[in-house]
Amino acid sequence: MLLALSSIPLVVLLLLFPLLPESPHYLLTKGEVQKAEAVLVKMARVNGTSLPAGRLAASKIVQHADSNSSSKLKNVYNSLAHGMKKIFSPALRRTSILLHYTWVTNAMTYYGLVLLTTELHAEENDNCVGDDKKEPNIDNSDYRDIFIATMAESVGLVLAYLMIDRFGLLKSMAGYLFECAIALLPLVFFNLSVHQSTSCLFLARAGIVGSFTVIYTYTAEVYPTAIRSFVTGFANAWSRFGGLMAPFVAVELVDSSRDWLAEIILIGMCLVAGTCTLLMPTETAGRELQDDDEIEMTSVITKQPSDVPEPDSPPPL
């Protein structure tokens, strides 16, 4: 029943997807200029402003997939090769390496904390009950504490929204990662009560959710438009290696009475990821979205015919 209730937001999201406007840039790549202009006009109207005078034009569109090839697999390979080449180009290589490590850390720490919250509460009680199955011995007070720690995700989302515009994305993300590491330190060095452990896990979870929220935004903004979606998807998929490692850290080590080692691993990864974030060369807050030479979106400002000669007309004598 609980699983069915938790799926309701996803069902609502699926129903609302048709109401989302299409990307103007995507429409331009398909040559649908009028639809792109209609979306921009609607965006301006909702925001209480107006578009600059002129018209939107896609001056050049390049498709990297081999349009003459009948092999879809080859087209996919060409697109993937082009995207990877762009990601690790000299101009973006440093950002990509540091960012992809941070993605792995975010995923591993987030899922590690989710599992660690349950494991630590189960460890406070009897180790396990049952015969062959290892069922965590959790009572009502443990469920309450786990629920409180889970509510930290809402706090992390709100704080991310408030901090990005004020401090920028890189400083916000680094601050969240450092805060998560600091919040876990008392679990390593002190014998805390259940309520004290819950407070530390609450703060750590709020921090990693805030970092996870910021990294999605930063990844989408730091790369050129033509590969923005590809990089976001690739980085998200790459981060799942961290999710795969989380159970080995947060469950296996705790079950073997080495919960201190699990906490040290998460702390160390967050500290390194926070440092990597500060070493990234580009802050995207307040910066215009970057494009490259594949697709140029231009607004041709309307001028008087007498001011600007026709492009094909000879120069005045």
Side-chain angles (χ1 to χ4, degrees), residues 105-118 120-121 149 152 175-193 196-209 246 249-250 254 258-272:
T105 298
N106 274 278
M108 181 174 175
T109 306
Y110 173 78
Y111 293 111
L113 288 176
V114 171
L115 297 171
L116 190 63
T117 302
T118 302
L120 291 180
H121 281 81
Y176 276 126
L177 290 166
F178 290 142
E179 184 269 334
C180 180
I182 293 172
L184 291 174
L185 282 175
L187 296 176
V188 179
F189 296 105
F190 301 101
N191 186 18
L192 303 179
S193 66
Q196 291 172 332
S197 298
T198 301
S199 300
C200 292
L201 291 170
F202 181 95
L203 295 173
R205 194 138 164 200
I208 199 61
V209 169
V249 174
V254 175
R258 290 181 291 176
D259 48 297
W260 58 270
L261 181 57
E263 292 150 4
I264 287 177
I265 291 174
L266 296 179
I267 290 171
M269 292 193 69
C270 286
L271 291 176
V272 173

Short mmCIF file of all heavy atoms in Angstrom, two decimals, residues 105-118 120-121 149 152 175-193 196-209 246 249-250 254 258-272:
data_model
loop_
_atom_site.label_atom_id
_atom_site.label_comp_id
_atom_site.label_asym_id
_atom_site.label_seq_id
_atom_site.Cartn_x
_atom_site.Cartn_y
_atom_site.Cartn_z
N THR A 105 30.28 10.82 -6.26
CA THR A 105 30.24 11.06 -4.82
C THR A 105 28.84 11.40 -4.36
O THR A 105 28.37 10.92 -3.31
CB THR A 105 31.21 12.20 -4.45
OG1 THR A 105 32.54 11.82 -4.80
CG2 THR A 105 31.14 12.52 -2.97
N ASN A 106 28.15 12.24 -5.11
CA ASN A 106 26.78 12.60 -4.73
C ASN A 106 25.88 11.37 -4.66
O ASN A 106 25.12 11.20 -3.70
CB ASN A 106 26.21 13.61 -5.72
CG ASN A 106 26.56 15.04 -5.38
OD1 ASN A 106 25.93 15.68 -4.56
ND2 ASN A 106 27.60 15.56 -6.00
N ALA A 107 25.95 10.52 -5.69
CA ALA A 107 25.10 9.34 -5.72
C ALA A 107 25.46 8.37 -4.60
O ALA A 107 24.59 7.84 -3.89
CB ALA A 107 25.20 8.65 -7.08
N MET A 108 26.76 8.11 -4.42
CA MET A 108 27.18 7.17 -3.40
C MET A 108 26.82 7.66 -2.00
O MET A 108 26.36 6.90 -1.14
CB MET A 108 28.69 6.94 -3.49
CG MET A 108 29.21 5.94 -2.48
SD MET A 108 30.96 5.58 -2.75
CE MET A 108 31.29 4.53 -1.33
N THR A 109 27.03 8.94 -1.74
CA THR A 109 26.74 9.49 -0.42
C THR A 109 25.24 9.54 -0.16
O THR A 109 24.78 9.21 0.94
CB THR A 109 27.33 10.90 -0.28
OG1 THR A 109 28.73 10.86 -0.58
CG2 THR A 109 27.15 11.43 1.14
N TYR A 110 24.46 9.93 -1.17
CA TYR A 110 23.02 10.00 -0.98
C TYR A 110 22.43 8.63 -0.65
O TYR A 110 21.76 8.45 0.38
CB TYR A 110 22.33 10.56 -2.22
CG TYR A 110 20.83 10.51 -2.14
CD1 TYR A 110 20.13 11.45 -1.38
CD2 TYR A 110 20.11 9.51 -2.79
CE1 TYR A 110 18.74 11.38 -1.28
CE2 TYR A 110 18.72 9.44 -2.68
CZ TYR A 110 18.06 10.38 -1.94
OH TYR A 110 16.70 10.31 -1.83
N TYR A 111 22.70 7.65 -1.51
CA TYR A 111 22.15 6.31 -1.26
C TYR A 111 22.82 5.66 -0.05
O TYR A 111 22.18 4.88 0.67
CB TYR A 111 22.32 5.44 -2.50
CG TYR A 111 21.48 5.91 -3.65
CD1 TYR A 111 22.05 6.46 -4.79
CD2 TYR A 111 20.08 5.83 -3.61
CE1 TYR A 111 21.27 6.92 -5.85
CE2 TYR A 111 19.30 6.28 -4.66
CZ TYR A 111 19.91 6.83 -5.77
OH TYR A 111 19.13 7.28 -6.81
N GLY A 112 24.08 6.00 0.21
CA GLY A 112 24.73 5.49 1.41
C GLY A 112 24.07 5.99 2.67
O GLY A 112 23.87 5.23 3.63
N LEU A 113 23.68 7.27 2.70
CA LEU A 113 23.01 7.82 3.87
C LEU A 113 21.62 7.23 4.05
O LEU A 113 21.17 7.00 5.18
CB LEU A 113 22.94 9.34 3.76
CG LEU A 113 24.26 10.09 3.96
CD1 LEU A 113 24.07 11.59 3.73
CD2 LEU A 113 24.81 9.84 5.37
N VAL A 114 20.93 7.00 2.94
CA VAL A 114 19.60 6.37 3.03
C VAL A 114 19.71 5.01 3.69
O VAL A 114 18.93 4.66 4.59
CB VAL A 114 18.97 6.26 1.63
CG1 VAL A 114 17.70 5.41 1.68
CG2 VAL A 114 18.64 7.64 1.08
N LEU A 115 20.69 4.21 3.26
CA LEU A 115 20.88 2.88 3.84
C LEU A 115 21.46 2.95 5.24
O LEU A 115 21.09 2.17 6.13
CB LEU A 115 21.80 2.06 2.93
CG LEU A 115 21.26 1.77 1.52
CD1 LEU A 115 22.36 1.14 0.66
CD2 LEU A 115 20.05 0.85 1.58
N LEU A 116 22.37 3.89 5.44
CA LEU A 116 23.03 4.00 6.74
C LEU A 116 22.03 4.39 7.83
O LEU A 116 22.16 3.95 8.99
CB LEU A 116 24.15 5.03 6.66
CG LEU A 116 25.10 5.13 7.85
CD1 LEU A 116 25.87 3.83 8.02
CD2 LEU A 116 26.06 6.30 7.67
N THR A 117 21.05 5.19 7.50
CA THR A 117 20.05 5.60 8.49
C THR A 117 19.34 4.39 9.07
O THR A 117 19.17 4.27 10.29
CB THR A 117 19.03 6.56 7.85
OG1 THR A 117 19.72 7.69 7.32
CG2 THR A 117 18.01 7.02 8.87
N THR A 118 18.91 3.49 8.20
CA THR A 118 18.23 2.28 8.67
C THR A 118 19.18 1.35 9.40
O THR A 118 18.85 0.79 10.45
CB THR A 118 17.59 1.54 7.48
OG1 THR A 118 16.69 2.41 6.81
CG2 THR A 118 16.84 0.30 7.95
N LEU A 120 21.98 1.96 11.07
CA LEU A 120 22.39 2.43 12.39
C LEU A 120 21.28 2.26 13.41
O LEU A 120 21.54 1.93 14.57
CB LEU A 120 22.84 3.88 12.31
CG LEU A 120 24.15 4.14 11.56
CD1 LEU A 120 24.48 5.63 11.56
CD2 LEU A 120 25.30 3.35 12.15
N HIS A 121 20.03 2.49 12.99
CA HIS A 121 18.92 2.31 13.93
C HIS A 121 18.70 0.84 14.24
O HIS A 121 18.36 0.48 15.37
CB HIS A 121 17.64 2.93 13.36
CG HIS A 121 17.59 4.41 13.51
ND1 HIS A 121 18.22 5.28 12.65
CD2 HIS A 121 16.99 5.19 14.44
CE1 HIS A 121 18.01 6.52 13.03
NE2 HIS A 121 17.27 6.50 14.12
N ALA A 149 14.71 12.02 9.53
CA ALA A 149 15.90 12.15 8.69
C ALA A 149 15.53 12.30 7.23
O ALA A 149 16.20 13.03 6.48
CB ALA A 149 16.81 10.92 8.89
N ALA A 152 14.72 15.76 5.82
CA ALA A 152 15.84 16.65 5.52
C ALA A 152 15.95 16.94 4.03
O ALA A 152 16.52 17.97 3.63
CB ALA A 152 17.14 16.03 6.02
N GLY A 175 29.87 23.98 -0.48
CA GLY A 175 29.40 24.18 0.89
C GLY A 175 28.53 23.04 1.37
O GLY A 175 28.65 22.57 2.51
N TYR A 176 27.65 22.55 0.50
CA TYR A 176 26.80 21.42 0.86
C TYR A 176 27.62 20.17 1.11
O TYR A 176 27.36 19.41 2.06
CB TYR A 176 25.79 21.16 -0.26
CG TYR A 176 24.56 22.02 -0.19
CD1 TYR A 176 24.16 22.79 -1.28
CD2 TYR A 176 23.78 22.07 0.96
CE1 TYR A 176 23.03 23.57 -1.23
CE2 TYR A 176 22.65 22.86 1.03
CZ TYR A 176 22.28 23.61 -0.07
OH TYR A 176 21.15 24.38 -0.01
N LEU A 177 28.61 19.90 0.27
CA LEU A 177 29.44 18.71 0.44
C LEU A 177 30.26 18.78 1.72
O LEU A 177 30.37 17.78 2.46
CB LEU A 177 30.34 18.54 -0.78
CG LEU A 177 29.64 18.13 -2.08
CD1 LEU A 177 30.56 18.32 -3.28
CD2 LEU A 177 29.17 16.68 -2.00
N PHE A 178 30.83 19.94 2.01
CA PHE A 178 31.59 20.10 3.25
C PHE A 178 30.67 19.98 4.46
O PHE A 178 31.05 19.39 5.49
CB PHE A 178 32.31 21.44 3.26
CG PHE A 178 33.44 21.53 2.28
CD1 PHE A 178 33.69 22.71 1.57
CD2 PHE A 178 34.29 20.44 2.06
CE1 PHE A 178 34.74 22.78 0.66
CE2 PHE A 178 35.34 20.51 1.15
CZ PHE A 178 35.57 21.69 0.45
N GLU A 179 29.48 20.54 4.36
CA GLU A 179 28.53 20.46 5.47
C GLU A 179 28.13 19.02 5.73
O GLU A 179 27.99 18.58 6.89
CB GLU A 179 27.29 21.30 5.14
CG GLU A 179 26.26 21.38 6.27
CD GLU A 179 25.22 20.27 6.17
OE1 GLU A 179 24.98 19.79 5.05
OE2 GLU A 179 24.67 19.90 7.22
N CYS A 180 27.94 18.24 4.67
CA CYS A 180 27.61 16.82 4.82
C CYS A 180 28.73 16.07 5.53
O CYS A 180 28.48 15.26 6.43
CB CYS A 180 27.34 16.21 3.45
SG CYS A 180 26.91 14.46 3.48
N ALA A 181 29.97 16.35 5.14
CA ALA A 181 31.11 15.69 5.78
C ALA A 181 31.22 16.06 7.25
O ALA A 181 31.45 15.20 8.11
CB ALA A 181 32.39 16.07 5.03
N ILE A 182 31.04 17.35 7.56
CA ILE A 182 31.14 17.80 8.95
C ILE A 182 30.03 17.18 9.80
O ILE A 182 30.25 16.81 10.96
CB ILE A 182 31.08 19.33 9.00
CG1 ILE A 182 32.33 19.93 8.34
CG2 ILE A 182 30.95 19.83 10.43
CD1 ILE A 182 32.28 21.44 8.17
N ALA A 183 28.83 17.05 9.23
CA ALA A 183 27.71 16.49 9.98
C ALA A 183 27.94 15.02 10.33
O ALA A 183 27.41 14.53 11.34
CB ALA A 183 26.42 16.64 9.17
N LEU A 184 28.73 14.31 9.53
CA LEU A 184 29.00 12.89 9.78
C LEU A 184 30.14 12.67 10.77
O LEU A 184 30.29 11.57 11.31
CB LEU A 184 29.31 12.17 8.48
CG LEU A 184 28.14 12.01 7.49
CD1 LEU A 184 28.64 11.39 6.19
CD2 LEU A 184 27.03 11.14 8.09
N LEU A 185 30.96 13.68 10.99
CA LEU A 185 32.13 13.52 11.87
C LEU A 185 31.78 13.06 13.28
O LEU A 185 32.45 12.17 13.82
CB LEU A 185 32.92 14.84 11.92
CG LEU A 185 33.82 15.14 10.72
CD1 LEU A 185 34.43 16.53 10.85
CD2 LEU A 185 34.92 14.09 10.60
N PRO A 186 30.74 13.63 13.92
CA PRO A 186 30.42 13.15 15.29
C PRO A 186 30.08 11.67 15.35
O PRO A 186 30.31 11.03 16.39
CB PRO A 186 29.21 14.02 15.68
CG PRO A 186 29.34 15.24 14.85
CD PRO A 186 29.91 14.79 13.55
N LEU A 187 29.55 11.09 14.29
CA LEU A 187 29.24 9.67 14.29
C LEU A 187 30.50 8.81 14.39
O LEU A 187 30.45 7.68 14.89
CB LEU A 187 28.47 9.30 13.02
CG LEU A 187 27.10 9.94 12.83
CD1 LEU A 187 26.51 9.55 11.47
CD2 LEU A 187 26.15 9.55 13.95
N VAL A 188 31.63 9.36 13.94
CA VAL A 188 32.88 8.61 13.96
C VAL A 188 33.56 8.71 15.32
O VAL A 188 34.06 7.71 15.85
CB VAL A 188 33.83 9.13 12.86
CG1 VAL A 188 35.15 8.37 12.89
CG2 VAL A 188 33.18 9.01 11.49
N PHE A 189 33.56 9.89 15.91
CA PHE A 189 34.40 10.14 17.08
C PHE A 189 33.65 10.08 18.41
O PHE A 189 34.28 10.08 19.46
CB PHE A 189 35.08 11.51 16.95
CG PHE A 189 36.03 11.59 15.78
CD1 PHE A 189 35.68 12.28 14.63
CD2 PHE A 189 37.25 10.95 15.83
CE1 PHE A 189 36.55 12.35 13.56
CE2 PHE A 189 38.13 11.02 14.76
CZ PHE A 189 37.78 11.71 13.63
N PHE A 190 32.33 10.05 18.39
CA PHE A 190 31.57 10.07 19.64
C PHE A 190 30.55 8.95 19.66
O PHE A 190 30.03 8.53 18.61
CB PHE A 190 30.85 11.42 19.82
CG PHE A 190 31.78 12.60 19.82
CD1 PHE A 190 31.92 13.39 18.68
CD2 PHE A 190 32.54 12.92 20.94
CE1 PHE A 190 32.78 14.47 18.65
CE2 PHE A 190 33.41 14.00 20.91
CZ PHE A 190 33.52 14.78 19.78
N ASN A 191 30.25 8.49 20.87
CA ASN A 191 29.23 7.47 21.06
C ASN A 191 27.89 8.20 21.28
O ASN A 191 27.53 8.53 22.42
CB ASN A 191 29.58 6.59 22.26
CG ASN A 191 28.61 5.43 22.41
OD1 ASN A 191 27.88 5.08 21.47
ND2 ASN A 191 28.57 4.84 23.61
N LEU A 192 27.19 8.45 20.21
CA LEU A 192 25.99 9.29 20.27
C LEU A 192 24.75 8.46 20.58
O LEU A 192 24.69 7.26 20.30
CB LEU A 192 25.79 9.99 18.92
CG LEU A 192 26.94 10.87 18.42
CD1 LEU A 192 26.59 11.47 17.07
CD2 LEU A 192 27.27 11.96 19.43
N SER A 193 23.76 9.15 21.14
CA SER A 193 22.47 8.52 21.35
C SER A 193 21.73 8.44 20.02
O SER A 193 22.15 9.01 19.01
CB SER A 193 21.65 9.32 22.37
OG SER A 193 21.34 10.61 21.83
N GLN A 196 20.69 11.91 18.86
CA GLN A 196 21.84 12.68 18.37
C GLN A 196 22.30 12.18 17.00
O GLN A 196 22.63 12.99 16.12
CB GLN A 196 22.98 12.59 19.38
CG GLN A 196 22.72 13.31 20.69
CD GLN A 196 23.78 13.03 21.74
OE1 GLN A 196 24.41 11.97 21.73
NE2 GLN A 196 23.98 13.97 22.65
N SER A 197 22.27 10.87 16.81
CA SER A 197 22.62 10.32 15.51
C SER A 197 21.63 10.77 14.44
O SER A 197 22.01 11.08 13.31
CB SER A 197 22.65 8.79 15.57
OG SER A 197 23.64 8.34 16.48
N THR A 198 20.35 10.81 14.82
CA THR A 198 19.33 11.26 13.88
C THR A 198 19.57 12.70 13.46
O THR A 198 19.41 13.06 12.28
CB THR A 198 17.93 11.12 14.50
OG1 THR A 198 17.70 9.75 14.85
CG2 THR A 198 16.85 11.59 13.55
N SER A 199 19.98 13.54 14.41
CA SER A 199 20.26 14.95 14.09
C SER A 199 21.42 15.06 13.11
O SER A 199 21.36 15.85 12.15
CB SER A 199 20.58 15.72 15.38
OG SER A 199 19.49 15.67 16.28
N CYS A 200 22.47 14.27 13.33
CA CYS A 200 23.62 14.30 12.41
C CYS A 200 23.23 13.81 11.03
O CYS A 200 23.62 14.40 10.01
CB CYS A 200 24.75 13.46 12.98
SG CYS A 200 25.51 14.13 14.47
N LEU A 201 22.45 12.73 10.98
CA LEU A 201 22.02 12.19 9.69
C LEU A 201 21.08 13.16 8.98
O LEU A 201 21.10 13.26 7.74
CB LEU A 201 21.32 10.85 9.89
CG LEU A 201 22.24 9.70 10.35
CD1 LEU A 201 21.42 8.49 10.75
CD2 LEU A 201 23.23 9.33 9.25
N PHE A 202 20.28 13.89 9.74
CA PHE A 202 19.39 14.90 9.16
C PHE A 202 20.21 15.98 8.45
O PHE A 202 19.93 16.33 7.30
CB PHE A 202 18.52 15.51 10.26
CG PHE A 202 17.55 16.54 9.77
CD1 PHE A 202 16.24 16.20 9.47
CD2 PHE A 202 17.92 17.88 9.63
CE1 PHE A 202 15.34 17.14 9.02
CE2 PHE A 202 17.03 18.83 9.18
CZ PHE A 202 15.73 18.46 8.87
N LEU A 203 21.22 16.48 9.13
CA LEU A 203 22.05 17.54 8.55
C LEU A 203 22.84 17.02 7.34
O LEU A 203 22.95 17.71 6.32
CB LEU A 203 23.01 18.09 9.60
CG LEU A 203 22.36 18.82 10.79
CD1 LEU A 203 23.41 19.17 11.83
CD2 LEU A 203 21.65 20.08 10.31
N ALA A 204 23.37 15.81 7.46
CA ALA A 204 24.14 15.25 6.35
C ALA A 204 23.26 15.02 5.13
O ALA A 204 23.65 15.30 4.00
CB ALA A 204 24.78 13.94 6.79
N ARG A 205 22.05 14.54 5.35
CA ARG A 205 21.16 14.26 4.22
C ARG A 205 20.69 15.54 3.57
O ARG A 205 20.56 15.61 2.34
CB ARG A 205 19.97 13.44 4.71
CG ARG A 205 19.16 12.82 3.61
CD ARG A 205 18.77 11.44 3.95
NE ARG A 205 17.70 10.95 3.09
CZ ARG A 205 16.91 9.94 3.38
NH1 ARG A 205 17.07 9.30 4.54
NH2 ARG A 205 15.99 9.54 2.55
N ALA A 206 20.43 16.56 4.36
CA ALA A 206 20.06 17.86 3.78
C ALA A 206 21.19 18.39 2.90
O ALA A 206 20.96 18.93 1.82
CB ALA A 206 19.73 18.85 4.89
N GLY A 207 22.44 18.19 3.36
CA GLY A 207 23.57 18.67 2.58
C GLY A 207 23.75 17.94 1.27
O GLY A 207 23.96 18.57 0.23
N ILE A 208 23.64 16.63 1.29
CA ILE A 208 23.88 15.88 0.05
C ILE A 208 22.72 16.07 -0.93
O ILE A 208 22.94 16.09 -2.16
CB ILE A 208 24.11 14.38 0.36
CG1 ILE A 208 24.80 13.72 -0.83
CG2 ILE A 208 22.80 13.68 0.70
CD1 ILE A 208 26.15 14.29 -1.17
N VAL A 209 21.50 16.25 -0.44
CA VAL A 209 20.39 16.54 -1.35
C VAL A 209 20.57 17.91 -1.99
O VAL A 209 20.31 18.11 -3.18
CB VAL A 209 19.04 16.45 -0.61
CG1 VAL A 209 17.91 17.01 -1.46
CG2 VAL A 209 18.73 15.00 -0.25
N ALA A 246 27.27 1.97 -2.89
CA ALA A 246 26.69 2.39 -1.61
C ALA A 246 26.34 1.23 -0.69
O ALA A 246 26.65 1.28 0.51
CB ALA A 246 25.47 3.28 -1.87
N VAL A 249 29.27 -0.15 1.21
CA VAL A 249 29.81 0.74 2.23
C VAL A 249 28.85 0.86 3.41
O VAL A 249 29.24 0.69 4.57
CB VAL A 249 30.10 2.13 1.63
CG1 VAL A 249 30.51 3.12 2.73
CG2 VAL A 249 31.17 2.04 0.57
N ALA A 250 27.58 1.14 3.13
CA ALA A 250 26.63 1.48 4.18
C ALA A 250 25.95 0.27 4.82
O ALA A 250 25.36 0.39 5.90
CB ALA A 250 25.55 2.41 3.63
N VAL A 254 28.65 -1.88 8.06
CA VAL A 254 27.90 -1.75 9.31
C VAL A 254 27.56 -3.12 9.88
O VAL A 254 27.65 -3.36 11.09
CB VAL A 254 26.63 -0.91 9.10
CG1 VAL A 254 25.78 -0.87 10.37
CG2 VAL A 254 26.99 0.50 8.68
N ARG A 258 31.77 -2.37 11.44
CA ARG A 258 32.76 -1.35 11.04
C ARG A 258 32.05 -0.13 10.49
O ARG A 258 32.42 0.42 9.45
CB ARG A 258 33.72 -1.94 10.01
CG ARG A 258 34.67 -3.00 10.57
CD ARG A 258 35.61 -3.52 9.51
NE ARG A 258 34.89 -4.31 8.50
CZ ARG A 258 35.45 -4.82 7.41
NH1 ARG A 258 36.74 -4.61 7.18
NH2 ARG A 258 34.74 -5.53 6.56
N ASP A 259 31.02 0.30 11.20
CA ASP A 259 30.26 1.46 10.75
C ASP A 259 31.13 2.71 10.72
O ASP A 259 30.91 3.62 9.92
CB ASP A 259 29.03 1.69 11.63
CG ASP A 259 29.36 1.62 13.10
OD1 ASP A 259 29.78 0.54 13.55
OD2 ASP A 259 29.20 2.65 13.78
N TRP A 260 32.15 2.77 11.58
CA TRP A 260 33.06 3.92 11.59
C TRP A 260 33.79 4.04 10.25
O TRP A 260 34.03 5.14 9.77
CB TRP A 260 34.07 3.78 12.72
CG TRP A 260 34.89 2.52 12.65
CD1 TRP A 260 34.58 1.31 13.21
CD2 TRP A 260 36.13 2.34 11.96
NE1 TRP A 260 35.56 0.37 12.93
CE2 TRP A 260 36.52 0.98 12.15
CE3 TRP A 260 36.95 3.17 11.20
CZ2 TRP A 260 37.69 0.46 11.62
CZ3 TRP A 260 38.12 2.65 10.67
CH2 TRP A 260 38.48 1.32 10.87
N LEU A 261 34.13 2.89 9.64
CA LEU A 261 34.82 2.92 8.36
C LEU A 261 33.89 3.41 7.26
O LEU A 261 34.31 4.18 6.37
CB LEU A 261 35.35 1.52 8.03
CG LEU A 261 36.12 1.39 6.71
CD1 LEU A 261 37.31 2.35 6.68
CD2 LEU A 261 36.59 -0.05 6.51
N ALA A 262 32.62 2.99 7.31
CA ALA A 262 31.65 3.47 6.32
C ALA A 262 31.51 4.98 6.39
O ALA A 262 31.47 5.67 5.36
CB ALA A 262 30.30 2.79 6.56
N GLU A 263 31.46 5.50 7.60
CA GLU A 263 31.30 6.94 7.77
C GLU A 263 32.55 7.69 7.31
O GLU A 263 32.45 8.76 6.69
CB GLU A 263 31.00 7.23 9.24
CG GLU A 263 29.64 6.71 9.68
CD GLU A 263 29.59 6.31 11.15
OE1 GLU A 263 30.62 6.51 11.85
OE2 GLU A 263 28.55 5.79 11.58
N ILE A 264 33.73 7.13 7.57
CA ILE A 264 34.97 7.77 7.14
C ILE A 264 35.06 7.81 5.62
O ILE A 264 35.50 8.81 5.02
CB ILE A 264 36.19 7.04 7.74
CG1 ILE A 264 36.30 7.36 9.24
CG2 ILE A 264 37.48 7.44 7.02
CD1 ILE A 264 37.43 6.64 9.93
N ILE A 265 34.62 6.72 4.95
CA ILE A 265 34.65 6.70 3.48
C ILE A 265 33.76 7.79 2.92
O ILE A 265 34.14 8.53 2.00
CB ILE A 265 34.22 5.31 2.97
CG1 ILE A 265 35.29 4.27 3.30
CG2 ILE A 265 33.98 5.35 1.46
CD1 ILE A 265 34.90 2.85 2.95
N LEU A 266 32.54 7.92 3.45
CA LEU A 266 31.62 8.94 2.96
C LEU A 266 32.16 10.34 3.24
O LEU A 266 32.06 11.24 2.40
CB LEU A 266 30.24 8.76 3.60
CG LEU A 266 29.51 7.46 3.26
CD1 LEU A 266 28.16 7.40 3.99
CD2 LEU A 266 29.29 7.33 1.76
N ILE A 267 32.74 10.53 4.42
CA ILE A 267 33.31 11.83 4.76
C ILE A 267 34.45 12.18 3.81
O ILE A 267 34.52 13.30 3.28
CB ILE A 267 33.81 11.83 6.22
CG1 ILE A 267 32.62 11.78 7.19
CG2 ILE A 267 34.67 13.07 6.50
CD1 ILE A 267 33.04 11.57 8.64
N GLY A 268 35.34 11.23 3.59
CA GLY A 268 36.48 11.48 2.71
C GLY A 268 36.06 11.82 1.29
O GLY A 268 36.60 12.75 0.67
N MET A 269 35.09 11.08 0.76
CA MET A 269 34.64 11.35 -0.60
C MET A 269 33.99 12.71 -0.71
O MET A 269 34.18 13.43 -1.70
CB MET A 269 33.67 10.25 -1.04
CG MET A 269 34.32 8.89 -1.23
SD MET A 269 33.29 7.71 -2.09
CE MET A 269 33.27 8.42 -3.75
N CYS A 270 33.22 13.11 0.32
CA CYS A 270 32.60 14.44 0.29
C CYS A 270 33.63 15.55 0.36
O CYS A 270 33.51 16.57 -0.33
CB CYS A 270 31.59 14.57 1.44
SG CYS A 270 30.06 13.66 1.19
N LEU A 271 34.66 15.37 1.17
CA LEU A 271 35.70 16.39 1.27
C LEU A 271 36.45 16.53 -0.05
O LEU A 271 36.74 17.65 -0.50
CB LEU A 271 36.67 16.03 2.40
CG LEU A 271 36.12 16.13 3.83
CD1 LEU A 271 37.17 15.66 4.83
CD2 LEU A 271 35.67 17.55 4.15
N VAL A 272 36.77 15.41 -0.69
CA VAL A 272 37.47 15.46 -1.97
C VAL A 272 36.57 16.08 -3.03
O VAL A 272 37.02 16.92 -3.84
CB VAL A 272 37.93 14.05 -2.40
CG1 VAL A 272 38.50 14.08 -3.80
CG2 VAL A 272 38.96 13.51 -1.42
#
